[in-house]
Every structure is written in structure tokens, then in C-alpha cells.
Amino acid sequence: ALYQSKHRNSSRNLSEGLIPQEGFDINTNAPDPSKINRAVCAGYADILKNALALVGIESVIDSGRSIRNEVTNTYMGGHEWNKVKIDDKWYYADLCWDAGRDTFEYALRGGKNDKFVDSGLLDQSGQTRVNCHFTYIKDGVRSENVEDDRYDKTKLRDLFNQVKDGNIPRAYEIVIPDEPDIPIQLDQDRIRDEYQRRRKDMYAKFYGDKEYQAEYEERSTRFREHEEEVTNGTITYRTVQDYPEREEDEKFLILGDYKNALERMSKYEAGDTSVYSGTPDEINDAFERDREYVTTRNHTFNQHESTQKDLATLGKYGEKMPYIPRQTSMLKNIGISALNATIFARNIIAPAYRFVGNHIAKPIHRLVTGNKDASPYRNNIYHRMVARRDYFLDMAQQRNGATSHPIKNALEARIRAFTNAKEGNEAILRAGAYDIRQNIEQQEGAKALIKTLGLRKLALETQIADLEREAHSHPNAKNIADVQNAIEHKKELLTSTTNALNSYINGGKINDIQTDAVSQEQHAIASKEVNTARVTAIKGVAKGLTVKYVGPKIKDWLLERGKTVQDIEVTVPKEVPDDKWIEPVIETVTETDPDTIFDKTKSLKDAMSENAGKQVSAYYSVWGGEKGTISYTFTGDEKITGIFKATADGGIGLSDKAGLTAPTFTDGLFSDDLLDSSGVLNQNISIESLMSALQEGKIDANSLEDIYVSVGDKCWVKASDVFSVMEKNVDTDKVIEKIVTPGHWEEGTKIINEVVKTTKVVDNPALQQVVKLGGGVMKGIIGMDSIQDVVENIRKTTTDEKSNKKKPRNYTYDDGEATPIPTSKKEYDEER
């Protein structure tokens, strides 16, 4: 229809049968825009470009100057035409100049026809046409240079005639390739070697190999020493320097992607957002994965950090326990209310523990450890025990059923964790080996998948380009609709493949597993339980010291300040002398014994007569004692004119009352029958009578030492000197009592109770009651606290730490290796 126009005017009239379509600019350069069925050359060029686009033929609009006089080679006005791509070759086409022609003179012409002047092309003389400049290019696209020769004019005429008659050739069929099928191939040798190396590493960490630990710490220290900051333009990021042992250290420390993760994370933090791609959520997830990988050094369990976290609550003491929810049963609710009351009391005390943990225990631990990262070799016997406990709990639940009693299962697991340690160790190491194998296979799978996705992406891009080229070249192919559908489907596959590839490249990297077969969660629980036990031990020692020392000291201190003094009577035992008289033992005997006896029958006169010539000591006076001693010789005819018994200041009886004159017996001491007619003592009386009289005068006649008698004027002598001459010797039989054991006093003592008045310091009764009550309360508190200690240690331990182990774990995994699994540290040491 475009070629049916018969007008050759500068503004040609288009056929009335042509219906303008969207995108067509048929009025370009029209002198009368109201006439939409007329157009200049630019309108023809625009019509042809859009018409060809409808059937999938690529074309562009070109411009230059038209040559009207070939002889004079003069240029006329500007002109526009098309370049059309047919069978991957470019040709000229000028619909405007062919309007009204049936010869198709200017359809698909080659470059040898200089009537078509392209911008930048040379003329026939090799000179650049000064006035031939590229003034306008539709859609801003420059095409390739055209072919030298024109398209087969005969074939072109036949095709146009077929189109006119409606016989569009559709015999050509475009081949649609199948979706690219690229298999994923894993490096099994690398998987086996890496698995054996990491399994050896797991055994060393599980049993705490000190030599392996020393090497780990040496390499870790060296690796950290080579971390540095690098500035690239305005971005400062952290990286790891290259040093001779770096690759070996990263392999030993299992830090395969540490350097890249460190660089990505620190660059992103410094403002370089190009290191991650995807949606904001995908970018954030990728960053968090890198951050966790770097800060935990491939998820190494940091014992110091975990211990400080536990010390902040003193193990489990400072945690806030949740209350038990109410039940439908009233009886159960009574018990639950009682338990919730104890939980309430415990939660009141918990802040005090948190305060001590945060402000005392945690800073002390940080000071002691220097706030350093712990090595991954903090796996001690208790950490292994917790892992075994979880294993046996899983086994108990499987064996006893999901509905079995949880306390029974937990108790069984705790017991078997000790009694079946070898079984538990083997199961845990099997599960750890499975985790390692899975991780390595996932790594190799990810690498192979990235490679496969890249090849798939390239294959899809190639298929799409080929199909699009075929569709453009053969828009009338009989399966063109299927081709277009295939192109759209393959583009969708390309999009999903590209997204998956970018996801794996940018955020889907699977990091190496560094494991001791114990999960992060189990490590955290073990650390918390160990710290709880430590706090319990410290509290036990403190409570013991309080009960034994501190409590009594406080009690004594309080009671001492409340003492008072009271007057009291007390009965005290007293030892006093208790001498006993022991009667003498007397034996009666008859003895004949010469004896000197005193002849009492003689008279006083006889006594004086027998003393004639005897010289004795005499005194002139006995008043006041013996005075004036003289020597006196008896004449034998003296008379005893007085008797005197000496006392302290005088005597008894007749005395010297009239000076030195011998007294007379006128004082009535002696009875009249003892006196003579002149009142003087009768000299003829017997000594016995005299002694009787003396006795009656209470003078002991047997003791004559202190009795004086007067002999003559003024002279006194002792009666013993006078009467000693009256003694005579006789043999007599006499019955005597012989003392076998003399009587005597035997010394002894006895205890008597004596009431004594004294004072007593006594306690204040009121204060004593308070102290007693306080002591009872304190003992009650200590007792309840001891119960709490037991509860804190046996109750279930929870943690916020995420487990890095999948559940359920594969405790029965068999890797097919001939090397046996060490089930104890002893076996490990022997095998090592």
C-alpha cells in the first residue's frame, strides 16, 4: 500500500487505505499538518521504520543530502531514508523516492549507489562531503555500514508480489533449543581429605588436647598480629596481611573466608555499600552473617565472654524465674500457688545477685582474664557431660515415648551421662562428624552450584540471543509464536538463575564448621551450671563461716551490750577442818615396881626436923613475886608459920600483910582444928591433913612448886624444898593401864554448803529474746537459702545462646572410615 502512491510532489499524498497506527509520525515536515494523509521524506522514513518493526525487521532512519544532478554533481536539499537489516546485512531503502514506482528502484540498495549519502561516509573521490553531516538519527541509534551490493532485486520483487497476493511464505522453522542441563559435580577426593582433617581437629577439641591447643593459640596469635587497617580512597577497612604462613594458618584455624568477610563487613561499615547486593533485607542478612563470623571467629565458643555473661547473674541465681501458670484443677492450683510464692521470694532476691554479679564478680573476672577471647579449647569434662546429658535425654524420650514424664527422663539422662560416658562420647562425636561431613559437602555443592549456575546463565544468554536473532531474521517463521514464548520463558529462567547466582556469590557462602561436637547452646548451659556451682560453693563457705564464727561473734557483741549486774545469794561448797579425836588404846596390867612415895602421915614438925642442915634458897618477901633471894640452912626446929601460893601479883592464903612480919592464920583460911591455942598453925598435924585443908582451899597439894611456906621470921621457902624429905622408896604391886596407842587428834576436812552474797552479770532478758529470735530467723534463712541452692543447681538450665547444631542430631552416623572413634580421653591419648 505504501508503494501504490502515484504522486511525486515534494509533499506526497498517501493512499486513503493506509490507517495510521500508534507510533507513526506521518505528518513529519508536512506543510499542512491538518492533512494527515500527506507527508514528506521524513514521514515516509518514519512509516517504514515502524511498519518493519511490526513484523520484527530491524531498521533505522538515516539522513543526508540528495543528489538531483548527477552530471554537475550538485547537491539539492536535505533528505531522510532508512537502513534495513535483512539476513544480518544492512541495506538502504528510500520509500519516498520509490513512491508510485513498481520497479522497487530504491528498495534494499547497496552502498555503491552514491545517491545515498550517509553521514561520515566518503564520496567517490575519497573526500569527506562537507555538507553531508548527520543531522538527525531516529532513536539515537547508528547502524552498521551497508553492504556494497544491493539485495537480489528479482527475489525482492517476487516477495512483494506474494505479499500483495496474501501468500506470505511460512515454510521456515526456527529451532528452539532445550533448557541447558549442566550436572553438578563434587570433588569427592577433596571432601574426604578435608573431612579427615576436620574430624581430627574435632577430636582434639572435644578431649582438650593440650599440644594441639598450644599450636592453635600460637597460630591464632600470629594470625591476629597480621590484622590491619587499610585506606583505599575514602574507605578505611580491616583486612589480614599476606604473610608466608597465612594460608596454612587459616586452614588450621578453619577460617576459610575470614579475610573476605572481614573486608566486606568493615568496608560496608565505612560506607562502601557495593560489597553487598540484593534487597535491603538480603544485604542486612549478608552483613550480619559476616559480622557474626568475624566477631566469633567462625563461631568459636568464647568461654570468657560466656563466663562474664553468667557472672552478671551469678550463674542462675540472678535470673528471673517465670511463674507457673494456673491450672483448671483447684488442688493443683493450691500447690502451684505455694510454688509461685517461693518463686516470688526468689525473684525478690535475684536483683541483689545481679548487682553483685555486674558490679563485683564480672569486673573481677574481666580484670583477671584481661578481657581476652578464650581459645576454643575450653571444652572441659563438664561441657562433655552436658552434651552427653542431652543425648541421653533424646534417647530417653524416644524410648519412653513423647508423653513420658519429663522429670523421669531428665533424671535418667543425668545418671546415664555419668554411668554411660563412653557411649555418650561416641554418639556425640558421630553427630559432630556428620555435621562436618554435611558442611563440607554443602561447601563443595555451593562451589559446584555457583559454577553450574554461571554456565547455565551463559548458556541461557546465548540461547536467548540466538532465538531473538532468528526471530528478527525470520519473523514469518511458522513457529514464531513458540519462539517468542520460548524467549520469554528462557528470560524468566535467566532472571531466576542470575538471582540465585548473585545470592550464592554475595551472601550464600557456607563457612567452614569449627566444632568440638558440643553445640554453642550446650557450651553456654555448661558454663552457666559451672558458675552456679561455683557460686553455691562460695555461698556454702560463707554460710559455714557465718554460722561458726560471724554469728556467735555478733551474738556475743549484742549480748555484751545488754548485760546488767544483780545482787544474788549463792550456795557454794566450802572445805573446813574436821579433826577427829581418836581414843587411846589402853591395856590393863599388874606390875611390881619400886616407887617413890610421899609419906603424908608425917607432921609438919617431922618435916622440919628432917630438913635440919639442908640449904635452900629463901626469900624475904613473896609479895609481888620472888624477891630478895638468900641462902637459907634449915635448923630443924623451925615452924611453918604461913603458906603462900604465888600468883601474878600476890598469892592466895596468908601473906605478908604486915610488912615483913610473918603472918598468922587469922584470915580464916584454915579451920580452927588446924590451929593451936595461939592461933598458929599446928606443927603436929600431918601433911595429909594439911594437904586436905589446902585442897579445900582450892590449892593443889600435889603441885608444890608454887607454894611457899614461912620458916622463921621473914623467910619464905618453896614447899617442895621443905617436903621433899618426906619421900620414901617402896615396892608395890599395882594395876596399871598401859597405853598401846595414845589418844590423838586425826586431821580431816569436810565440805559444807555456804551461802555467799555476791553480784552477777546477767543478760538483758528482752535483748536475749531478740537475739534468740534473730538467731532462729538467721538459721531459718540459711536453711531456706540452702534449699534454694539445691534448687538452683538441679532446675533446668536455659540460655539465649542459639544452637549451631541441627536437631535431631545424627548420633548413629557411620562415615565408613576404618579409624575407630575414641570414646574416652584415655583412648584418644593412646590413639594420638
Side-chain angles (χ1 to χ4, degrees):
L2 296 177
Y3 280 85
Q4 288 175 355
S5 174
K6 301 300 182 180
H7 301 281
R8 298 296 304 274
N9 300 325
S10 61
S11 180
R12 288 177 172 78
N13 192 20
L14 300 180
S15 68
E16 297 179 358
L18 181 63
I19 302 175
Q21 300 189 29
E22 181 180 358
F24 281 28
D25 186 8
I26 62 175
N27 291 320
T28 303
N29 295 328
D32 187 358
S34 63
K35 298 178 181 180
I36 63 172
N37 62 337
R38 298 178 68 80
V40 295
C41 59
Y44 280 90
D46 188 66
I47 290 173
L48 182 59
K49 178 180 181 302
N50 287 278
L52 293 176
L54 291 176
V55 292
I57 297 177
E58 184 178 357
S59 67
V60 296
I61 296 175
D62 205 357
S63 64
R65 289 182 178 274
S66 61
I67 302 175
R68 300 303 295 168
N69 190 336
E70 299 180 3
V71 177
T72 61
N73 200 29
T74 58
Y75 290 92
M76 304 302 291
H79 187 56
E80 287 191 4
W81 59 91
N82 297 91
K83 283 182 180 178
V84 181
K85 188 176 183 182
I86 300 294
D87 294 335
D88 289 334
K89 296 180 180 179
W90 287 95
Y91 300 92
Y92 290 122
D94 193 337
L95 182 60
C96 180
W97 285 8
D98 250 347
R101 297 175 182 268
D102 294 328
T103 58
F104 310 112
E105 182 67 22
Y106 297 98
L108 304 184
R109 293 290 296 267
K112 290 181 179 178
N113 189 336
D114 60 358
K115 290 184 180 180
F116 295 94
V117 182
D118 199 356
S119 64
L121 294 180
L122 302 179
D123 60 13
Q124 291 179 344
S125 63
Q127 299 297 320
T128 302
R129 299 183 187 277
V130 178
N131 294 325
C132 290
H133 54 87
F134 202 83
T135 58
Y136 178 77
I137 298 179
K138 194 68 173 179
D139 296 333
V141 176
R142 283 295 306 273
S143 63
E144 299 291 336
N145 291 334
V146 297
E147 295 293 314
D148 289 339
D149 298 321
R150 67 174 295 165
Y151 191 80
D152 187 346
K153 190 174 181 181
T154 304
K155 184 177 179 181
L156 178 62
R157 183 181 295 108
D158 292 339
L159 287 174
F160 271 117
N161 290 331
Q162 291 179 20
V163 171
K164 288 180 180 179
D165 298 335
N167 297 324
I168 300 175
R170 295 183 181 275
Y172 185 79
E173 183 175 358
I174 300 173
V175 178
I176 301 175
D178 296 332
E179 294 182 11
D181 183 16
I182 303 172
I184 300 176
Q185 297 180 349
L186 302 180
D187 187 347
Q188 296 297 336
D189 292 337
R190 192 260 175 190
I191 291 175
R192 182 177 61 256
D193 294 343
E194 184 67 12
Y195 169 72
Q196 292 174 347
R197 184 180 70 84
R198 286 204 223 165
R199 186 182 63 175
K200 177 183 176 182
D201 176 84
M202 176 184 67
Y203 290 164
K205 294 172 182 176
F206 185 77
Y207 288 114
D209 189 329
K210 292 184 178 179
E211 294 180 4
Y212 202 85
Q213 176 183 359
E215 182 177 359
Y216 185 97
E217 291 176 347
E218 178 184 351
R219 289 178 180 271
S220 179
T221 300
R222 181 169 59 197
F223 185 82
R224 291 172 179 172
E225 288 175 350
H226 286 86
E227 288 189 11
E228 65 173 355
E229 286 190 350
V230 175
T231 300
N232 184 9
T234 59
I235 301 297
T236 300
Y237 62 94
R238 291 191 61 78
T239 187
V240 180
Q241 295 176 345
D242 288 331
Y243 61 97
E245 302 90 352
R246 197 192 82 182
E247 183 177 353
E248 182 181 352
D249 287 348
E250 286 182 337
K251 187 175 182 180
F252 184 89
L253 299 173
I254 313 181
L255 297 176
D257 196 43
Y258 184 89
K259 177 178 180 293
N260 295 332
L262 179 64
E263 290 181 0
R264 285 194 301 267
M265 182 193 72
S266 56
K267 282 181 179 179
Y268 183 79
E269 289 177 328
D272 184 2
T273 58
S274 65
V275 293
Y276 300 111
S277 62
T279 65
D281 290 340
E282 291 173 343
I283 292 174
N284 184 68
D285 291 342
F287 171 76
E288 285 299 322
R289 282 195 297 271
D290 281 346
R291 187 191 62 78
E292 185 177 2
Y293 181 75
V294 169
T295 56
T296 61
R297 295 191 177 274
N298 191 4
H299 306 286
T300 300
F301 178 71
N302 191 328
Q303 178 67 31
H304 293 335
E305 181 181 355
S306 181
T307 297
Q308 290 180 14
K309 185 186 298 183
D310 297 337
L311 288 177
T313 57
L314 292 187
K316 293 188 281 184
Y317 283 92
E319 293 179 334
K320 184 177 181 181
M321 286 184 62
Y323 294 100
I324 305 173
R326 294 179 62 83
Q327 304 291 324
T328 56
S329 171
M330 180 181 296
L331 187 60
K332 287 184 178 180
N333 283 331
I334 294 175
I336 290 174
S337 298
L339 291 175
N340 281 336
T342 61
I343 294 175
F344 174 76
R346 180 210 173 278
N347 287 343
I348 291 177
I349 304 174
Y353 286 117
R354 290 198 295 271
F355 179 85
V356 173
N358 273 307
H359 296 87
I360 299 177
K362 187 176 178 181
I364 291 176
H365 182 271
R366 187 183 295 115
L367 180 64
V368 172
T369 60
N371 203 25
K372 296 179 180 178
D373 291 341
S375 76
Y377 293 90
R378 293 288 176 176
N379 179 21
N380 56 36
I381 186 172
Y382 196 83
H383 291 239
R384 295 195 292 271
M385 189 277 293
V386 170
R388 292 197 301 268
R389 191 174 68 195
D390 284 351
Y391 161 70
F392 285 114
L393 180 61
D394 292 341
M395 296 301 101
Q397 290 173 342
Q398 293 178 15
R399 183 172 55 256
N400 301 331
T403 59
S404 59
H405 201 286
I407 297 179
K408 176 184 176 182
N409 293 339
L411 182 61
E412 179 182 342
R414 285 177 179 267
I415 295 174
R416 290 173 65 86
F418 288 99
T419 59
N420 298 60
K422 287 189 174 183
E423 176 189 344
N425 290 341
E426 181 179 357
I428 295 164
L429 289 175
R430 285 186 182 277
Y434 176 78
D435 293 341
I436 293 174
R437 190 63 174 255
Q438 287 290 100
N439 174 250
I440 296 173
E441 290 180 352
Q442 288 173 357
Q443 285 179 324
E444 290 300 310
K447 292 178 183 177
L449 182 59
I450 290 174
K451 181 178 179 181
T452 300
L453 288 174
L455 294 174
R456 180 182 176 85
K457 177 176 180 290
L458 180 61
L460 286 171
E461 289 174 341
T462 302
Q463 290 180 357
I464 292 171
D466 291 344
L467 287 174
E468 287 181 337
R469 183 171 57 254
E470 284 288 297
H472 289 315
S473 300
H474 305 284
N476 296 319
K478 66 179 181 179
N479 64 337
I480 190 66
D482 295 336
V483 171
Q484 295 296 339
N485 291 334
I487 291 173
E488 294 302 321
H489 176 63
K490 290 180 183 294
K491 285 183 177 180
E492 292 176 358
L493 291 178
L494 177 62
T495 300
S496 62
T497 301
T498 303
N499 292 338
L501 180 61
N502 292 335
S503 176
Y504 277 101
I505 292 175
N506 297 326
K509 178 174 177 57
I510 302 171
N511 292 316
D512 297 336
I513 281 184
Q514 176 169 269
T515 181
D516 57 1
V518 180
S519 72
Q520 296 290 90
E521 182 181 27
Q522 290 168 340
H523 274 301
I525 289 175
S527 175
K528 185 174 291 186
E529 290 183 358
V530 167
N531 283 306
T532 302
R534 288 171 178 165
V535 173
T536 302
I538 294 172
K539 286 180 62 182
V541 173
K543 285 185 287 189
L545 294 175
T546 299
V547 171
K548 188 171 183 179
Y549 298 106
V550 179
K553 293 281 186 187
I554 294 174
K555 178 181 177 182
D556 293 343
W557 185 85
L558 289 173
L559 292 177
E560 186 66 29
R561 278 147 184 78
K563 291 183 180 298
T564 59
V565 179
Q566 291 181 349
D567 294 329
I568 60 172
E569 291 183 351
V570 295
T571 300
V572 295
K574 182 178 181 181
E575 187 179 78
V576 295
D578 187 20
D579 296 345
K580 295 182 180 179
W581 172 253
I582 304 300
E583 294 293 334
V585 177
I586 301 175
E587 186 179 61
T588 302
V589 297
T590 301
E591 291 184 351
T592 299
D593 186 28
D595 192 11
T596 300
I597 63 174
F598 192 74
D599 190 0
K600 299 178 182 179
T601 63
K602 290 183 179 182
S603 66
L604 295 180
K605 183 177 180 180
D606 293 337
M608 294 304 294
S609 176
E610 291 179 7
N611 279 318
K614 181 180 180 181
Q615 187 175 6
V616 297
S617 295
Y619 308 91
Y620 281 117
S621 175
V622 293
W623 182 260
E626 298 179 349
K627 297 181 180 180
T629 305
I630 60 173
S631 178
Y632 182 79
T633 302
F634 288 105
T635 62
D637 57 356
E638 291 95 348
K639 294 181 180 178
I640 295 176
T641 59
I643 298 174
F644 178 81
K645 180 171 177 58
T647 61
D649 295 325
I652 299 174
L654 297 179
S655 59
D656 189 0
K657 295 180 180 179
L660 297 178
T661 303
T664 58
F665 293 97
T666 59
D667 54 2
L669 176 61
F670 300 104
S671 60
D672 291 341
D673 59 339
L674 295 180
L675 302 178
D676 61 12
S677 59
S678 59
V680 178
L681 185 62
N682 189 352
Q683 297 297 306
N684 291 319
I685 63 174
S686 65
I687 296 175
E688 184 176 5
S689 299
L690 177 62
M691 291 176 65
S692 297
L694 291 175
Q695 287 176 348
E696 293 175 1
K698 300 182 180 179
I699 297 176
D700 186 3
N702 292 323
S703 179
L704 304 177
E705 273 304 315
D706 297 328
I707 298 175
Y708 295 83
V709 297
S710 62
V711 288
D713 188 21
K714 304 178 185 178
C715 187
W716 296 81
V717 295
K718 288 184 178 181
S720 58
D721 288 341
V722 174
F723 298 124
S724 62
V725 296
M726 306 303 291
E727 296 176 353
K728 65 178 179 179
N729 295 324
V730 292
D731 291 329
T732 59
D733 291 332
K734 56 182 178 181
V735 178
I736 64 173
E737 293 179 347
K738 184 178 180 181
I739 300 175
V740 178
T741 302
H744 62 278
W745 288 97
E746 185 178 82
E747 293 184 356
T749 59
K750 64 179 179 179
I751 304 299
I752 63 173
N753 290 327
E754 183 178 8
V755 178
V756 179
K757 289 185 177 182
T758 183
T759 59
K760 180 182 180 182
V761 178
V762 297
D763 295 331
N764 186 317
L767 182 60
Q768 195 172 22
Q769 288 297 324
V770 172
V771 171
K772 183 178 180 181
L773 179 62
V777 171
M778 181 60 66
K779 289 181 180 179
I781 291 174
I782 291 176
M784 294 180 65
D785 187 68
S786 299
I787 295 174
Q788 181 200 359
D789 292 340
V790 175
V791 172
E792 290 296 324
N793 281 273
I794 66 174
R795 73 178 176 87
K796 183 179 179 181
T797 305
T798 59
T799 178
D800 295 332
E801 187 73 36
K802 294 180 180 178
S803 178
N804 60 339
K805 307 296 182 188
K806 296 179 180 178
K807 288 213 172 190
R809 300 191 68 188
N810 193 345
Y811 293 114
T812 59
Y813 173 67
D814 184 3
D815 57 12
E817 299 285 342
T819 306
I821 298 175
T823 59
S824 67
K825 192 172 189 308
K826 180 180 179 182
E827 289 185 10
Y828 168 78
D829 291 336
E830 291 174 352
E831 291 178 11
R832 181 175 60 82

